[in-house]
Amino acid sequence: MKCHRHDANEAIGVCSHCGRALCRDCGPSAPAAALSCSSACAENAMQLTTAIQLLLKRSEQNARASAIYCYLSAALSGGSAIAAWFWLPSAFLMVFAGGSALVLTAAGFWHGRVARKSVTGQKSLKPLSP
Ligand SMILES: [Zn+2]
Ligand SMILES: [Zn+2]
């Protein structure tokens, strides 16, 4: 792969934002993961990273809501399994609904753990109260 700007040079990496091939003369001596073809791309890549970090932080805050949602869906699937047992004795439906209930319960448990983790993380920043 050749550099997009210098045809003679072999590319050592790609821009982390637009994916253009870059050679040693182009990018600054940054690690390959953080290469960028221009300051605009570097800024955009940085903004993207910040956005992802913000999203991750938000998803942590939403983990509790997700846990509740998962438990609700699990209850609904469990209800379907029971309903299938009564009205439609189909082994497939019961296994399917029961399996979904189990998976959703596990997902709810996992989200709940993430929520608890982030809460304890926030608490550890403050001085402990008796
Ligand atoms: Zn670029
Ligand atoms: Zn180049």
Side-chain angles (χ1 to χ4, degrees):
M1 191 163 58
K2 299 286 181 198
C3 171
H4 81 283
R5 213 181 292 165
H6 311 94
D7 281 336
N9 292 345
E10 197 67 28
I12 54 156
V14 291
C15 170
S16 57
H17 182 68
C18 65
R20 268 190 278 212
L22 299 171
C23 72
R24 209 173 292 276
D25 294 345
C26 284
S29 54
L35 276 177
S36 49
C37 65
S38 63
S39 55
C41 271
E43 209 167 285
N44 279 330
M46 190 102 81
Q47 279 175 358
L48 201 72
T49 314
T50 315
I52 289 166
Q53 277 169 353
L54 223 112
L55 210 75
L56 278 175
K57 211 174 168 180
R58 263 189 61 180
S59 74
E60 237 174 61
Q61 285 165 353
N62 288 340
R64 194 184 297 273
S66 301
I68 293 164
Y69 174 78
C70 280
Y71 280 133
L72 273 176
S73 306
L76 217 71
S77 293
S80 309
I82 293 163
W85 171 269
F86 279 112
W87 289 302
L88 203 75
S90 153
F92 169 75
L93 254 179
M94 272 173 51
V95 166
F96 182 75
S100 309
L102 277 177
V103 167
L104 283 163
T105 306
F109 181 74
W110 183 80
H111 281 302
R113 258 186 52 180
V114 170
R116 267 199 295 281
K117 227 194 239 169
S118 62
V119 164
T120 38
Q122 283 162 9
K123 263 185 188 161
S124 69
L125 294 172
K126 295 172 196 156
L128 283 169
S129 50

